[in-house]
Every structure is written in C-alpha cells, then in structure tokens.
Amino acid sequence: MPELPEVETLRGDLEKEVVGRRIKTVEVSGMRAIRRHPNKKHFINKVQGQKIERVTRRGKYLLLSLGEDVLLIHLGMSGQLLKAAVKDPVAPHTHVTFTFTQGGQLRYLDPRTFGEMFVVSNEALLTEVPEVSELGFDPVVDVMSWDAFGARLRARKVKLKTLLMDQRFVAGIGNIYSDEILWAAGLRNDRSSESLSTQEVRRLYRAVLETLNDAIKHRGSSLSDQQYRDLYGVVGSYQSEHKVYAREGEACRRCRQPVMRSRWGQRSTFFCGACQV
Ligand SMILES: [Zn+2]
C-alpha cells in the first residue's frame, strides 16, 4: 500500500504536471472509485470545468484544490495516478480519466479497487471527513519538537508499531515504513510506547524523519508486485534500501544476524531480533 513517501512523490509530480490545468471532461467507469457520491453525474458536475489550483497532501491523502472545493484521492492498496496523452491505449482497471483543456490526461487505475476519490467543499473537509481532519502530525509537513513527540508517546501505552501505524497519532506511516523506522531507531516493534528512555525517544523521532525523507528522495518503494508507480509510470527505488522489510533470513545490515519475520495482525512485521531492543 502506498505510504507517505509514495504519496508525497506523486504530490510533487502532480504539482509539476497538473497545477494550473483546467479539467475539460471527466470519464468514470463504474461507481467503485467515486463511491461516496450518489451517482456519476454528481461527481462529474463538481470537477468538470474546474481548474486545479494546488496539490497538497495529508497523510496518505492527496488534496487537489478546485476553488471552493477539494478533490481528495486515496490510493488504497493498488491505486495509480498516471499522466497520459489522449491517444495512449487505456490500461485495464482505469476507473477515472480527466482530460485537460490544455491537452493531456490524468488517469486513475486501481486493480484492487480499495482506493477512492471524492469532492467536498473546503468547509466540509474539516467537519465531514474525519479520516483527514483527525489525522495526527505529518512528519514531512508539520513541525514538532522531539520532546513534544515524546510526551505524546508517553501518554499512550501501546506497542510502538501499532502507534506508528495509527493515523491519528502520526499521519502517513503503514506496514513498510513502521518496520524501517523501528530498525533505524534500534527499537522492537512490541516495545510499549511509555517505556522509552529520553535517548530512545530522540532516536525514534530522528528515525521517523530520516527514514521518510530518505524514502522520498528515492521516490518511494515499489514492492515485487510493482504496483506503486509515480505519475510517469516509473517505479521507486527505496525498496533496495530496505533494511528489514521483506528481508526475512537475510543478514541485518547493522549486526549481520538474520532478519526475522513474525505475524502482526493480518500482516507480517520484519525486524532484527538481535539489535532492536
Ligand atoms: Zn541487527
């Protein structure tokens, strides 16, 4: 699933490619991608003719400002946004196609259809979309001191990985980056959040910022399914920098002990049993 670094990479691409463009027409196949709207016409009427003024990000959500309204996009498990020319063949699983007055298209593909997009007014964004208004701090956009971060950690008594993946605590981190952050901090995923020393809080805080920013520099992670692509259809390169994620049995890059894997809810977590304490 795309996490903060992948969504931030797309945000930067969209800023370059679609800001200032006016949406001439929108084609929608099926209701799945726009399921919050009562029907296609309702969605189309809200976006057709609008100019994209700005592209921002909150956690894993992309926000395309359209004057009074905002178009929110969440990629779910396998959503892709791709820049295309009108003449380009239409790939399978293309759900929404925006054609711009100035030429060119933005296409939304999603094989597994967990992703979605919807339009709300700027006011409604704060009151009717709790998934966005209740997001915790965004490590790339918001400024928070490490001691404020520590106070929040200590106020909770949950396992570190659970807390990092809680979107209301910190926005944008999922299964991959929580494992990578905890390895960088040298902390175990099941350590309780209130048990950290001051030193460990600082290490964790630094690991959050450094891991995410490093992943953005590498334009995100594309796993073996290659489902994550940037706006130009190109895969990211951070997967080759992963220290633990999907490296079960391989040598830890810090202590050479084999990386371990264990069950975490419905998913897996990867860690070094020797140097993460
Ligand atoms: Zn290790």
Side-chain angles (χ1 to χ4, degrees):
M1 181 198 265
E3 300 179 30
L4 188 154
E6 291 77 37
V7 181
E8 178 61 23
T9 301
L10 271 173
R11 190 204 62 75
D13 291 350
L14 287 166
E15 192 168 85
K16 266 183 243 148
E17 301 290 348
V18 309
V19 166
R21 288 181 179 243
R22 194 173 290 280
I23 300 165
K24 187 178 168 194
T25 56
V26 193
E27 274 173 74
V28 183
S29 76
M31 280 300 295
R32 181 72 182 154
I34 55 157
R35 55 191 175 269
R36 293 201 199 196
H37 290 270
N39 52 57
K40 283 185 197 177
K41 202 168 161 44
H42 186 264
F43 173 77
I44 292 168
N45 283 343
K46 285 189 181 295
V47 290
Q48 215 153 259
Q50 298 296 321
K51 187 164 115 182
I52 299 172
E53 294 173 351
R54 227 152 37 98
V55 182
T56 52
R57 182 189 55 73
R58 290 299 299 168
K60 301 174 193 169
Y61 282 87
L62 286 164
L63 283 73
L64 280 63
S65 297
L66 311 171
E68 308 277 285
D69 291 332
V70 58
L71 168 63
L72 283 94
I73 304 175
H74 191 286
L75 301 171
M77 300 290 284
S78 57
Q80 295 179 359
L81 284 168
L82 294 169
K83 183 191 174 189
V86 176
K87 61 174 174 24
D88 291 344
V90 177
H93 311 294
T94 299
H95 300 288
V96 185
T97 303
F98 300 93
T99 302
F100 298 108
T101 312
Q102 296 90 335
Q105 293 184 332
L106 175 66
R107 296 180 185 175
Y108 176 72
L109 283 70
D110 191 0
R112 298 182 64 184
T113 70
F114 289 103
E116 61 165 337
M117 63 176 71
F118 56 97
V119 180
V120 292
S121 68
N122 291 322
E123 298 87 66
L125 178 61
L126 301 172
T127 52
E128 291 167 25
V129 192
E131 303 94 312
V132 173
S133 59
E134 291 174 10
L135 282 171
F137 89 104
D138 189 303
V140 173
V141 175
D142 300 326
V143 179
M144 184 186 289
S145 63
W146 70 266
D147 53 329
F149 176 73
R152 289 191 185 198
L153 272 180
R154 278 189 292 271
R156 304 281 295 270
K157 275 189 189 172
V158 283
K159 293 172 180 173
L160 287 178
K161 183 172 169 76
T162 304
L163 192 57
L164 288 177
M165 288 174 64
D166 179 350
Q167 301 302 300
R168 285 165 300 177
F169 178 73
V170 48
I173 299 172
N175 207 34
I176 299 174
Y177 294 102
S178 55
D179 280 359
E180 291 299 312
I181 287 165
L182 288 167
W183 182 88
L187 296 168
R188 273 183 74 103
N189 46 38
D190 57 358
R191 271 285 290 281
S192 186
S193 60
E194 91 287 4
S195 74
L196 269 57
S197 67
T198 304
Q199 196 79 288
E200 288 173 328
V201 168
R202 294 176 86 141
R203 265 191 356 237
L204 179 58
Y205 178 73
R206 197 166 55 225
V208 168
L209 297 187
E210 287 182 359
T211 303
L212 296 175
N213 281 304
D214 206 24
I216 293 167
K217 274 187 211 132
H218 286 84
R219 300 186 62 77
S221 302
S222 297
L223 303 180
S224 49
D225 60 17
Q226 305 254 310
Q227 243 153 16
Y228 170 70
R229 306 264 171 164
D230 67 14
L231 196 64
Y232 312 100
V234 177
V235 296
S237 67
Y238 194 67
Q239 63 280 3
S240 60
E241 305 292 316
H242 287 178
K243 307 298 192 295
V244 281
Y245 190 83
R247 295 191 69 237
E248 184 188 11
E250 292 176 48
C252 169
R253 291 191 171 150
R254 190 160 47 213
C255 74
R256 312 312 296 167
Q257 292 300 304
V259 169
M260 296 164 75
R261 171 191 190 139
S262 68
R263 188 184 282 266
W264 193 273
Q266 309 281 54
R267 312 217 214 146
S268 292
T269 180
F270 298 87
F271 60 99
C272 176
C275 69
Q276 287 179 251
V277 297

